[in-house]
Amino acid sequence: MNSVEFFSGMKGEETTALRRDVLEKNYLKFHSQLGGKQVGEFFVEINGEQISLGPDAVLRVDLPKPSNIFIFCMAALADGLDGTMYGEQQGSVTLSNRFVEFGNHVLVVKNNKEFSRRLSAAITSNPHLFSSPFFEGGFGQVDYVDMNTHNGVVGLFRKDLEYQWQREYRFCLGADSEILNSKGALELDLGDLSDITSIVPVEHYASQTITLKRGVIETVDGVKLHRED
């Protein structure tokens, strides 16, 4: 897991909207002006005098200790906060061909519940990891917003619309510096995952159309069953 400091300062991806995001470590963003209308005014105090930053000022507040906040990013086929799936048309969705830019293969998680259990076990058994209210629960889908007009919390689960094709689901947690590797990354050991995952060429998913099956999860005699609509 790399830190938000790492992702916000990556070199060589300035124009690709792949992994680098200068707002990755940003927690708050406020504009003085939105849509040509004044919505606020920011001042700085210098030697006791308040000086306006002008009508085009943008206030950004970064997360504390961004080099010790780590994220693990995955792609997920799931409905967004509005109950719809990005890019869905007539019951199917096509994944972006840009996924090939991440690498040659993908790790497919076939048992989400068991993966989550092993992840939780690895986290709770490590005394050098920590949580924070800034992590907003520590896991979930990313909400994509227009950062040119967004006012308020950015944090770890909001990114600009240009990244929407990634369909990101992420985990985040804090880690003490003493357990980081020589590159400043966190290595979290989940053990052997071969029984609940498979490794396939990225071409199996990139540019491919996937048919969706929606339904209802019911619990019958203690067993969760999926019933299609």
Side-chain angles (χ1 to χ4, degrees):
M1 301 175 69
N2 282 305
S3 68
V4 295
E5 179 78 34
F6 171 86
F7 287 113
S8 65
M10 289 184 70
K11 304 297 182 181
E13 292 188 356
E14 285 79 0
T15 62
T16 61
L18 190 61
R19 293 171 297 177
R20 183 178 187 267
D21 183 0
V22 294
L23 290 178
E24 192 68 80
K25 62 180 179 180
N26 185 229
Y27 183 67
L28 291 172
K29 185 177 183 182
F30 291 102
H31 301 256
S32 292
Q33 186 176 163
L34 287 175
K37 296 182 179 180
Q38 195 77 18
V39 295
E41 188 173 7
F42 303 131
F43 296 85
V44 294
E45 185 173 303
I46 301 177
N47 297 326
E49 180 184 0
Q50 286 194 340
I51 300 175
S52 173
L53 296 179
D56 299 319
V58 177
L59 173 67
R60 284 172 45 180
V61 179
D62 284 348
L63 291 158
K65 300 180 68 176
S67 60
N68 292 90
I69 300 174
F70 295 85
I71 54 178
F72 187 78
C73 311
M74 310 173 74
L77 280 175
D79 288 339
L81 298 177
D82 62 355
T84 64
M85 187 177 296
Y86 168 67
E88 180 181 350
Q89 293 183 343
Q90 298 179 338
S92 64
V93 64
T94 301
L95 300 185
S96 172
N97 60 4
R98 292 203 59 193
F99 278 106
V100 300
E101 298 179 44
F102 285 113
N104 297 324
H105 290 76
V106 295
L107 179 72
V108 181
V109 177
K110 299 181 290 186
N111 188 330
N112 297 346
K113 183 177 180 179
E114 178 60 19
F115 177 82
S116 297
R117 188 195 67 77
R118 296 183 194 184
L119 175 63
S120 297
I123 292 173
T124 55
S125 64
N126 193 321
H128 297 284
L129 304 180
F130 59 86
S131 183
S132 165
F134 289 105
F135 300 170
E136 300 181 66
F139 62 93
Q141 290 176 245
V142 169
D143 185 23
Y144 297 97
V145 299
D146 185 354
M147 286 299 175
N148 291 319
T149 59
H150 180 71
N151 255 15
V153 175
V154 177
L156 295 161
F157 293 93
R158 290 160 205 87
K159 293 176 70 71
D160 191 78
L161 289 171
E162 65 177 337
Y163 296 93
Q164 193 169 20
W165 63 272
Q166 297 180 1
R167 307 169 182 274
E168 189 177 341
Y169 187 101
R170 60 171 46 176
F171 304 96
C172 68
L173 48 87
D176 298 329
S177 299
E178 62 192 88
I179 64 168
L180 307 184
N181 65 21
S182 60
K183 296 182 179 180
L186 171 65
E187 298 179 14
L188 190 63
D189 186 5
L190 272 64
D192 183 8
L193 298 176
S194 60
D195 60 324
I196 60 171
T197 63
S198 60
I199 299 175
V200 301
V202 68
E203 289 84 359
H204 285 196
Y205 289 96
S207 302
Q208 300 301 310
T209 298
I210 298 173
T211 300
L212 306 175
K213 292 184 179 180
R214 283 188 168 82
V216 177
I217 299 295
E218 297 179 324
T219 300
V220 179
D221 296 330
V223 178
K224 289 187 177 181
L225 303 174
H226 178 266
R227 175 174 56 82
E228 292 186 20
D229 287 341

